[in-house]
Amino acid sequence: MSDNALETEPYYSWRQVEAKLGIKTQCWVGKPGLESWDTLDVGVQLLVENALPGKGRRLLDLRCGTGLGGALAAQRGARVTLCDDSFVAVEAARRTLELYGIEEVQVEHGWADLPQAAFDIAWLNAPRGRAWVQLLVRQAARALGPGGVLYLVGPNQGGIKSYIEDVEALGGQVQALHIKHHYRLAACTFGDLPLLSDKTETSTALCRGQEYQYVGAPGVFAHRRLDDGTRVLIEAMQFKPGERFLDLGCGCGIVGLVAASMSGLVHCLDHSAIAIATTRRTMAVNQITSAVILPSDCASVMRKTDTQFDIVATNPPFHQGLGVEYEVAQQFIRDASQVLVPGGQLYLVANRFIRYDALLAQQFAHVTTLYQDGRFRVIKAVR
């Protein structure tokens, strides 16, 4: 299946969006699955209005989103590098840059290859998660040259006040700049911070009567302990050696690890650069060399190659930023039906209050509940 064929589907359809920014109308490219894709993000607005670098200045945007801010900075002559943990955001940023006719901008999925002391300005439109923001702040401090400034922005409800306090606790100097629509923008400068630590953590989980080690990190769902939903999913799954297994939305890779230890034929997909890195480490810690681990928007990378599976297992996400959003989880279900062989099985765990029943009934021939308690349901759907 080609990229163009996928893009006829509503979820995968890229759209041009526009909004007033200052006295001008600006455009960007977005789609479902990307936070704030169809509305002007207040954090981006504050950064563009108050921290847009001039010609020749070196800008690092640690969470570029749709790429609008980076495109406007590049228009002014700044030397721009865009990064994001989200595979979807990286593609959106590339398309937005193309929309503006901008070619000389580096776009990276994640931050692994950032040079040290190479930038004058860094932007961080802070995500949800204190440990994750601390890690990104240290990335910014490492990447900034002498006198460099990190502009940190986020919503009050998302914890921006505590993030600013953490910068000060690290020895950074903070100047509050603006408050707008319950968002805060601050300028942060740094002296000599302690060396950037790995921040990955190896944990042990007992699953199906066996102990497994897995690697987590800030930015990965439930990175310090195996969450209860994933645990009941692992216990409820039924599969045989030799069956081709897809861990869709792999996170730290524990579901794929259990499957690899039993069947060996495993693919793991996630949109998150941090999740891909930790899943690779999880497999390495357990000496699993056969697992295929790829970044993907839902299961699009498998659909493009027409790869088929006997089993798909998923604990689909339903949070995006501070809100609840079901579009990604719903596309997980549609994609699972597309990549399963006839008779193939989807195992899905969901909070009890989330009802995927109607969509599952549309996509699958037989749908049953294997397990339920006061919090979770594990559903088996057969194509």
Side-chain angles (χ1 to χ4, degrees):
M1 176 178 287
S2 68
D3 289 4
N4 290 338
L6 275 180
E7 289 181 19
T8 62
E9 299 180 26
Y11 175 85
Y12 289 116
S13 176
W14 291 96
R15 304 156 205 187
Q16 184 173 319
V17 187
E18 62 180 40
K20 202 74 172 288
L21 182 55
I23 62 172
K24 293 184 178 180
T25 297
Q26 304 292 353
C27 302
W28 64 90
V29 178
K31 63 174 284 297
L34 177 61
E35 185 179 346
S36 301
W37 71 270
D38 58 352
T39 186
L40 181 60
D41 184 278
V42 178
V44 173
Q45 185 176 355
L46 279 167
L47 289 167
V48 169
E49 290 175 345
N50 300 284
L52 201 62
K55 186 175 181 179
R57 301 283 281 172
R58 300 165 299 172
L59 170 67
L60 170 64
D61 188 348
L62 288 153
R63 287 188 73 241
C64 65
T66 63
L68 173 62
L72 297 179
Q75 272 193 331
R76 289 189 65 182
R79 294 155 57 191
V80 178
T81 297
L82 303 181
C83 302
D84 207 288
D85 183 57
S86 168
F87 186 74
V88 185
V90 167
E91 181 60 28
R94 288 177 176 145
R95 290 172 182 256
T96 295
L97 292 168
E98 184 178 345
L99 180 68
Y100 280 80
I102 296 168
E103 297 179 353
E104 307 255 329
V105 169
Q106 184 177 349
V107 185
E108 298 287 345
H109 186 211
W111 311 271
D113 299 323
L114 288 178
Q116 189 170 351
F119 299 93
D120 304 303
I121 293 171
W123 287 353
L124 177 53
N125 191 2
R128 185 179 182 179
R130 195 166 185 173
W132 190 11
V133 173
Q134 290 172 351
L135 182 63
L136 291 175
V137 165
R138 286 182 177 272
Q139 288 278 16
R142 178 180 177 277
L144 288 168
V149 181
L150 166 66
Y151 290 94
L152 177 63
V153 66
N156 292 336
Q157 187 181 357
I160 187 63
K161 293 180 183 179
S162 63
Y163 302 161
I164 290 171
E165 291 170 359
D166 289 342
V167 172
E168 293 174 325
L170 285 170
Q173 302 296 312
V174 178
Q175 179 186 359
L177 295 181
H178 288 278
I179 300 174
K180 183 174 186 175
H181 300 312
H182 307 291
Y183 274 64
R184 291 174 184 266
L185 173 68
C188 311
T189 55
F190 304 93
D192 293 327
L193 287 184
L195 290 176
L196 185 69
S197 62
D198 188 306
K199 289 291 184 181
T200 57
E201 303 173 19
T202 301
S203 303
T204 301
L206 181 64
C207 302
R208 302 172 78 104
Q210 182 176 335
E211 283 194 344
Y212 293 91
Q213 286 190 310
Y214 64 96
V215 178
V220 179
F221 173 63
H223 75 274
R224 286 196 171 95
R225 67 174 186 87
L226 181 62
D227 68 286
D228 293 336
T230 300
R231 184 183 299 279
V232 297
L233 172 66
I234 291 171
E235 296 296 338
M237 293 187 308
Q238 304 162 358
F239 55 95
K240 308 180 193 69
E243 290 186 314
R244 294 158 295 175
F245 188 99
L246 174 61
D247 181 359
L248 181 54
C250 58
C252 67
I254 183 66
V255 175
L257 171 63
V258 174
S261 70
M262 300 178 70
S263 72
L265 306 174
V266 172
H267 283 63
C268 301
L269 306 181
D270 207 292
H271 80 106
S272 163
I274 298 175
I276 292 297
T278 54
T279 293
R280 286 177 176 150
R281 291 192 181 202
T282 291
M283 295 301 177
V285 164
N286 292 275
Q287 300 181 327
I288 301 293
T289 59
S290 59
V292 178
I293 305 161
L294 297 170
S296 181
D297 180 9
C298 300
S300 59
V301 70
M302 295 292 96
R303 292 185 60 186
K304 290 173 186 176
T305 58
D306 294 322
T307 306
Q308 298 276 283
F309 297 91
D310 301 293
I311 306 289
V312 175
T314 186
N315 183 357
F318 62 92
H319 285 294
Q320 202 167 95
L322 298 177
V324 173
E325 177 56 68
Y326 296 113
E327 287 181 295
V328 173
Q330 290 167 350
Q331 193 61 39
F332 272 29
I333 293 171
R334 296 187 188 97
D335 281 2
S337 72
Q338 294 295 312
V339 301
L340 282 167
V341 298
Q345 302 162 22
L346 167 66
Y347 293 92
L348 179 149
V349 64
N351 293 69
R352 282 285 299 272
F353 67 86
I354 302 175
R355 311 305 296 186
Y356 296 127
D357 303 72
L359 179 57
L360 286 163
Q362 290 173 9
Q363 299 290 322
F364 293 89
H366 303 285
V367 180
T368 56
T369 297
L370 295 181
Y371 171 88
Q372 62 181 336
D373 57 25
R375 298 170 60 200
F376 300 105
R377 282 198 305 162
V378 178
I379 300 165
K380 176 181 175 182
V382 181
R383 183 182 173 198

